[in-house]
Amino acid sequence: MLTVERAEHGTWTVLRVRGELDLVSSPVVRRRVHEVVADGRHDLVLDLSGVLFCDSSGVGVLIAARRLLHSCRGGLRLILPARGAVEGSHVNRVLAALGVQRLFDVYPDLPAATDDRPAA
């Protein structure tokens, strides 16, 4: 089962995704991303810290979201907790295995992902 909760944090819209991101559930995330863009919001954070499983269709949704937001001159940030890089969270492993990890701006938590201050 997959749930997607939406929240606004300043200029960023946050979609908190929990559960399994797979062939059956990925259209839900795709639809929610399109709803955000249709609402005129072009800076999106996908909080994937609660995703327990992600297959290639889930990765396809992430890539499509990146492309859509880029075409709107917006941005996409992913939240993958810092422990994921150390412990090898499932989403990190899938992104790395498919060679697409470098396409995404990854943050460890919500405060970091929604901070609009320029990087030092």
Side-chain angles (χ1 to χ4, degrees), residues 58-95:
V59 173
V61 167
L62 300 178
I63 292 170
R66 179 183 178 273
R67 188 177 12 222
L68 174 63
L69 290 159
H70 185 263
S71 73
C72 297
R73 298 187 183 183
L76 174 66
R77 295 177 176 181
L78 304 182
I79 295 176
L80 293 171
R83 72 180 188 282
V86 175
E87 296 173 3
S89 78
H90 184 77
V91 177
N92 278 334
R93 287 193 313 257
V94 170
L95 293 177

Short mmCIF file of all heavy atoms in Angstrom, two decimals, residues 58-95:
data_model
loop_
_atom_site.label_atom_id
_atom_site.label_comp_id
_atom_site.label_asym_id
_atom_site.label_seq_id
_atom_site.Cartn_x
_atom_site.Cartn_y
_atom_site.Cartn_z
N GLY A 58 8.95 2.82 -10.49
CA GLY A 58 9.06 3.90 -9.53
C GLY A 58 10.17 4.87 -9.92
O GLY A 58 10.00 6.09 -9.86
N VAL A 59 11.30 4.32 -10.34
CA VAL A 59 12.41 5.16 -10.80
C VAL A 59 11.97 5.95 -12.03
O VAL A 59 12.31 7.13 -12.18
CB VAL A 59 13.66 4.32 -11.09
CG1 VAL A 59 14.75 5.17 -11.73
CG2 VAL A 59 14.17 3.67 -9.81
N GLY A 60 11.20 5.31 -12.91
CA GLY A 60 10.69 6.01 -14.09
C GLY A 60 9.84 7.21 -13.72
O GLY A 60 9.92 8.26 -14.37
N VAL A 61 9.06 7.09 -12.67
CA VAL A 61 8.25 8.22 -12.21
C VAL A 61 9.15 9.34 -11.70
O VAL A 61 8.89 10.52 -11.96
CB VAL A 61 7.25 7.77 -11.10
CG1 VAL A 61 6.64 8.96 -10.39
CG2 VAL A 61 6.17 6.90 -11.71
N LEU A 62 10.21 8.99 -10.99
CA LEU A 62 11.13 10.01 -10.49
C LEU A 62 11.81 10.75 -11.64
O LEU A 62 11.93 11.98 -11.62
CB LEU A 62 12.19 9.37 -9.58
CG LEU A 62 11.68 8.65 -8.33
CD1 LEU A 62 12.84 8.05 -7.56
CD2 LEU A 62 10.87 9.59 -7.46
N ILE A 63 12.23 10.01 -12.64
CA ILE A 63 12.88 10.63 -13.81
C ILE A 63 11.89 11.51 -14.57
O ILE A 63 12.21 12.63 -14.99
CB ILE A 63 13.50 9.56 -14.72
CG1 ILE A 63 14.67 8.90 -13.99
CG2 ILE A 63 13.93 10.15 -16.06
CD1 ILE A 63 15.23 7.67 -14.68
N ALA A 64 10.66 11.03 -14.74
CA ALA A 64 9.63 11.83 -15.43
C ALA A 64 9.31 13.09 -14.65
O ALA A 64 9.11 14.16 -15.24
CB ALA A 64 8.37 10.98 -15.65
N ALA A 65 9.27 12.99 -13.32
CA ALA A 65 9.00 14.17 -12.49
C ALA A 65 10.13 15.19 -12.64
O ALA A 65 9.87 16.39 -12.77
CB ALA A 65 8.85 13.77 -11.02
N ARG A 66 11.35 14.71 -12.66
CA ARG A 66 12.50 15.61 -12.85
C ARG A 66 12.40 16.33 -14.19
O ARG A 66 12.61 17.54 -14.28
CB ARG A 66 13.80 14.80 -12.77
CG ARG A 66 15.05 15.61 -12.98
CD ARG A 66 16.28 14.69 -12.95
NE ARG A 66 17.49 15.43 -13.20
CZ ARG A 66 17.98 15.67 -14.41
NH1 ARG A 66 17.36 15.22 -15.49
NH2 ARG A 66 19.10 16.35 -14.57
N ARG A 67 12.08 15.59 -15.22
CA ARG A 67 11.97 16.18 -16.57
C ARG A 67 10.83 17.20 -16.63
O ARG A 67 10.98 18.28 -17.19
CB ARG A 67 11.74 15.05 -17.57
CG ARG A 67 11.79 15.46 -19.01
CD ARG A 67 11.63 14.29 -19.96
NE ARG A 67 11.20 13.10 -19.24
CZ ARG A 67 11.67 11.88 -19.44
NH1 ARG A 67 12.55 11.66 -20.35
NH2 ARG A 67 11.22 10.86 -18.76
N LEU A 68 9.68 16.87 -16.05
CA LEU A 68 8.53 17.77 -16.04
C LEU A 68 8.86 19.07 -15.31
O LEU A 68 8.59 20.16 -15.82
CB LEU A 68 7.32 17.09 -15.39
CG LEU A 68 6.09 17.96 -15.17
CD1 LEU A 68 5.51 18.44 -16.50
CD2 LEU A 68 5.04 17.18 -14.37
N LEU A 69 9.41 18.95 -14.12
CA LEU A 69 9.72 20.15 -13.34
C LEU A 69 10.80 20.99 -14.01
O LEU A 69 10.74 22.22 -14.00
CB LEU A 69 10.09 19.77 -11.92
CG LEU A 69 8.87 19.26 -11.15
CD1 LEU A 69 9.28 18.42 -9.97
CD2 LEU A 69 7.99 20.41 -10.73
N HIS A 70 11.78 20.33 -14.62
CA HIS A 70 12.82 21.06 -15.34
C HIS A 70 12.20 21.84 -16.50
O HIS A 70 12.57 22.98 -16.76
CB HIS A 70 13.90 20.09 -15.85
CG HIS A 70 15.05 20.77 -16.50
ND1 HIS A 70 15.15 20.92 -17.85
CD2 HIS A 70 16.14 21.35 -15.97
CE1 HIS A 70 16.26 21.57 -18.14
NE2 HIS A 70 16.89 21.84 -17.02
N SER A 71 11.24 21.24 -17.21
CA SER A 71 10.60 21.93 -18.35
C SER A 71 9.78 23.14 -17.88
O SER A 71 9.55 24.06 -18.67
CB SER A 71 9.71 20.96 -19.14
OG SER A 71 8.54 20.65 -18.42
N CYS A 72 9.38 23.14 -16.62
CA CYS A 72 8.64 24.27 -16.04
C CYS A 72 9.58 25.27 -15.36
O CYS A 72 9.12 26.20 -14.68
CB CYS A 72 7.63 23.78 -15.00
SG CYS A 72 6.36 22.71 -15.63
N ARG A 73 10.88 25.04 -15.50
CA ARG A 73 11.90 25.85 -14.85
C ARG A 73 11.81 25.79 -13.33
O ARG A 73 12.05 26.76 -12.63
CB ARG A 73 11.87 27.29 -15.35
CG ARG A 73 12.17 27.35 -16.82
CD ARG A 73 12.30 28.71 -17.32
NE ARG A 73 12.51 28.61 -18.78
CZ ARG A 73 12.72 29.61 -19.54
NH1 ARG A 73 12.77 30.82 -19.04
NH2 ARG A 73 12.90 29.44 -20.82
N GLY A 74 11.43 24.62 -12.87
CA GLY A 74 11.34 24.38 -11.44
C GLY A 74 12.45 23.45 -10.99
O GLY A 74 13.41 23.22 -11.71
N GLY A 75 12.27 22.91 -9.80
CA GLY A 75 13.28 22.02 -9.25
C GLY A 75 12.66 20.83 -8.55
O GLY A 75 11.53 20.89 -8.08
N LEU A 76 13.42 19.75 -8.50
CA LEU A 76 13.01 18.54 -7.80
C LEU A 76 14.13 18.16 -6.84
O LEU A 76 15.30 18.12 -7.22
CB LEU A 76 12.78 17.39 -8.78
CG LEU A 76 12.48 16.03 -8.13
CD1 LEU A 76 11.15 16.06 -7.38
CD2 LEU A 76 12.48 14.93 -9.18
N ARG A 77 13.74 17.92 -5.59
CA ARG A 77 14.67 17.44 -4.59
C ARG A 77 14.10 16.17 -3.97
O ARG A 77 12.89 16.06 -3.79
CB ARG A 77 14.88 18.49 -3.50
CG ARG A 77 15.56 19.75 -4.01
CD ARG A 77 15.69 20.80 -2.95
NE ARG A 77 16.42 21.96 -3.46
CZ ARG A 77 16.70 23.04 -2.74
NH1 ARG A 77 16.30 23.11 -1.47
NH2 ARG A 77 17.35 24.04 -3.27
N LEU A 78 14.99 15.23 -3.67
CA LEU A 78 14.59 13.98 -3.04
C LEU A 78 15.11 13.95 -1.61
O LEU A 78 16.23 14.38 -1.36
CB LEU A 78 15.16 12.77 -3.78
CG LEU A 78 14.87 12.62 -5.26
CD1 LEU A 78 15.49 11.32 -5.78
CD2 LEU A 78 13.39 12.66 -5.55
N ILE A 79 14.27 13.45 -0.70
CA ILE A 79 14.74 13.20 0.66
C ILE A 79 15.00 11.71 0.78
O ILE A 79 14.11 10.88 0.65
CB ILE A 79 13.72 13.64 1.71
CG1 ILE A 79 13.52 15.16 1.67
CG2 ILE A 79 14.17 13.19 3.11
CD1 ILE A 79 12.46 15.67 2.62
N LEU A 80 16.27 11.40 0.99
CA LEU A 80 16.71 10.04 1.29
C LEU A 80 17.60 10.21 2.52
O LEU A 80 18.65 10.84 2.44
CB LEU A 80 17.50 9.44 0.13
CG LEU A 80 16.68 9.18 -1.13
CD1 LEU A 80 17.59 8.80 -2.30
CD2 LEU A 80 15.67 8.09 -0.89
N PRO A 81 17.18 9.72 3.67
CA PRO A 81 17.91 9.97 4.91
C PRO A 81 19.39 9.62 4.83
O PRO A 81 19.78 8.72 4.09
CB PRO A 81 17.20 9.07 5.93
CG PRO A 81 15.87 8.80 5.34
CD PRO A 81 16.05 8.82 3.86
N ALA A 82 20.18 10.35 5.59
CA ALA A 82 21.62 10.14 5.59
C ALA A 82 21.98 8.68 5.88
O ALA A 82 22.92 8.14 5.33
CB ALA A 82 22.29 11.06 6.61
N ARG A 83 21.19 8.04 6.74
CA ARG A 83 21.49 6.63 7.06
C ARG A 83 21.36 5.75 5.83
O ARG A 83 21.95 4.69 5.77
CB ARG A 83 20.58 6.12 8.18
CG ARG A 83 19.15 5.91 7.76
CD ARG A 83 18.30 5.39 8.91
NE ARG A 83 16.99 5.01 8.44
CZ ARG A 83 16.00 5.84 8.17
NH1 ARG A 83 16.17 7.13 8.31
NH2 ARG A 83 14.84 5.40 7.74
N GLY A 84 20.60 6.21 4.84
CA GLY A 84 20.44 5.43 3.61
C GLY A 84 21.75 5.25 2.87
O GLY A 84 22.02 4.19 2.34
N ALA A 85 22.56 6.28 2.85
CA ALA A 85 23.84 6.20 2.15
C ALA A 85 24.77 5.22 2.86
O ALA A 85 25.55 4.52 2.24
CB ALA A 85 24.47 7.57 2.05
N VAL A 86 24.67 5.17 4.19
CA VAL A 86 25.53 4.30 4.97
C VAL A 86 25.00 2.87 4.97
O VAL A 86 25.72 1.92 4.73
CB VAL A 86 25.64 4.83 6.42
CG1 VAL A 86 26.44 3.86 7.28
CG2 VAL A 86 26.30 6.20 6.42
N GLU A 87 23.71 2.75 5.25
CA GLU A 87 23.11 1.43 5.37
C GLU A 87 22.62 0.89 4.03
O GLU A 87 22.23 -0.27 3.95
CB GLU A 87 21.92 1.48 6.35
CG GLU A 87 22.33 1.84 7.76
CD GLU A 87 21.15 2.04 8.67
OE1 GLU A 87 20.01 1.85 8.23
OE2 GLU A 87 21.37 2.42 9.82
N GLY A 88 22.61 1.72 3.00
CA GLY A 88 22.16 1.27 1.70
C GLY A 88 20.66 1.11 1.62
O GLY A 88 20.17 0.01 1.37
N SER A 89 19.90 2.20 1.86
CA SER A 89 18.44 2.12 1.76
C SER A 89 18.05 1.59 0.39
O SER A 89 18.80 1.72 -0.58
CB SER A 89 17.80 3.49 2.00
OG SER A 89 17.92 4.30 0.85
N HIS A 90 16.89 1.00 0.33
CA HIS A 90 16.45 0.36 -0.91
C HIS A 90 16.44 1.36 -2.08
O HIS A 90 16.93 1.05 -3.17
CB HIS A 90 15.08 -0.28 -0.73
CG HIS A 90 14.63 -1.01 -1.94
ND1 HIS A 90 15.13 -2.25 -2.27
CD2 HIS A 90 13.79 -0.66 -2.94
CE1 HIS A 90 14.59 -2.63 -3.41
NE2 HIS A 90 13.78 -1.70 -3.84
N VAL A 91 15.87 2.54 -1.87
CA VAL A 91 15.79 3.52 -2.97
C VAL A 91 17.19 3.93 -3.42
O VAL A 91 17.46 3.99 -4.62
CB VAL A 91 14.95 4.75 -2.56
CG1 VAL A 91 14.94 5.78 -3.67
CG2 VAL A 91 13.53 4.34 -2.21
N ASN A 92 18.10 4.17 -2.47
CA ASN A 92 19.48 4.50 -2.85
C ASN A 92 20.11 3.40 -3.68
O ASN A 92 20.78 3.66 -4.68
CB ASN A 92 20.34 4.74 -1.60
CG ASN A 92 20.18 6.12 -1.04
OD1 ASN A 92 19.85 7.05 -1.75
ND2 ASN A 92 20.40 6.25 0.26
N ARG A 93 19.90 2.16 -3.26
CA ARG A 93 20.49 1.03 -3.99
C ARG A 93 19.93 0.92 -5.41
O ARG A 93 20.66 0.67 -6.36
CB ARG A 93 20.26 -0.28 -3.23
CG ARG A 93 21.12 -0.41 -2.00
CD ARG A 93 21.10 -1.83 -1.44
NE ARG A 93 19.78 -2.40 -1.34
CZ ARG A 93 19.08 -2.53 -0.21
NH1 ARG A 93 19.57 -2.10 0.91
NH2 ARG A 93 17.89 -3.08 -0.22
N VAL A 94 18.63 1.13 -5.55
CA VAL A 94 18.00 1.03 -6.88
C VAL A 94 18.51 2.15 -7.78
O VAL A 94 18.88 1.92 -8.93
CB VAL A 94 16.46 1.05 -6.76
CG1 VAL A 94 15.81 1.19 -8.13
CG2 VAL A 94 15.96 -0.20 -6.06
N LEU A 95 18.54 3.38 -7.26
CA LEU A 95 19.03 4.51 -8.07
C LEU A 95 20.48 4.29 -8.48
O LEU A 95 20.85 4.55 -9.63
CB LEU A 95 18.89 5.82 -7.30
CG LEU A 95 17.47 6.30 -7.01
CD1 LEU A 95 17.49 7.57 -6.17
CD2 LEU A 95 16.68 6.52 -8.28
#
